[in-house]
């Protein structure tokens, strides 16, 4: 399971670089933070159950944050800029 956290770190790192290239610096910083967290957790050699609990907590926080953002912060826009 620790290897899967390294895989998650790899993909969040890829997204962070792509966000940085696309001048989306806030998202890039968020994803660089997630990359560091996933890589650091992967080297702790925790049990598989703990890794699953950590991932479940991560998903819960993500969905709460994403729902809050899309409901209260994001401004819907049709068309151009």
């Amino acid at each position: 399971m620790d290897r899967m956290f390294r895989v998650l770190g790899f993909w969040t790192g890829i997204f962070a670089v792509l966000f940085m290239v696309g001048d989306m610096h806030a998202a890039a910083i968020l994803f660089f933070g997630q990359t560091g967290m996933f890589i650091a957790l992967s080297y702790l050699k925790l049990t598989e159950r703990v890794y699953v609990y950590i991932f479940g907590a991560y998903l819960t926080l993500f969905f709460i944050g994403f729902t809050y953002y899309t409901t209260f912060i994001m401004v819907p826009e049709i068309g151009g800029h």
Side-chain angles (χ1 to χ4, degrees):
M1 194 69 170
D2 55 344
R3 290 182 182 174
M4 285 311 300
F5 270 72
R6 287 188 203 119
V7 170
L8 286 169
F10 170 78
W11 284 111
T12 54
I14 294 294
F15 274 92
V17 169
L18 291 174
F19 281 133
M20 187 67 77
V21 169
D23 290 329
M24 301 172 71
H25 298 292
I29 291 170
L30 179 67
F31 272 76
F32 277 127
Q34 290 179 25
T35 299
M37 177 196 69
F38 283 135
I39 298 297
L41 284 172
S42 72
Y43 286 106
L44 290 180
K45 300 293 185 190
L46 302 171
T47 64
E48 189 167 339
R49 177 178 285 189
V50 174
Y51 279 124
V52 169
Y53 285 156
I54 290 171
F55 187 66
Y58 167 76
L59 287 180
T60 302
L61 289 175
F62 168 78
F63 284 126
I64 290 170
F66 183 75
T67 303
Y68 177 81
Y69 175 78
T70 57
T71 304
F72 299 112
I73 297 175
M74 188 175 78
V75 177
E77 182 177 320
I78 298 175
H81 302 294

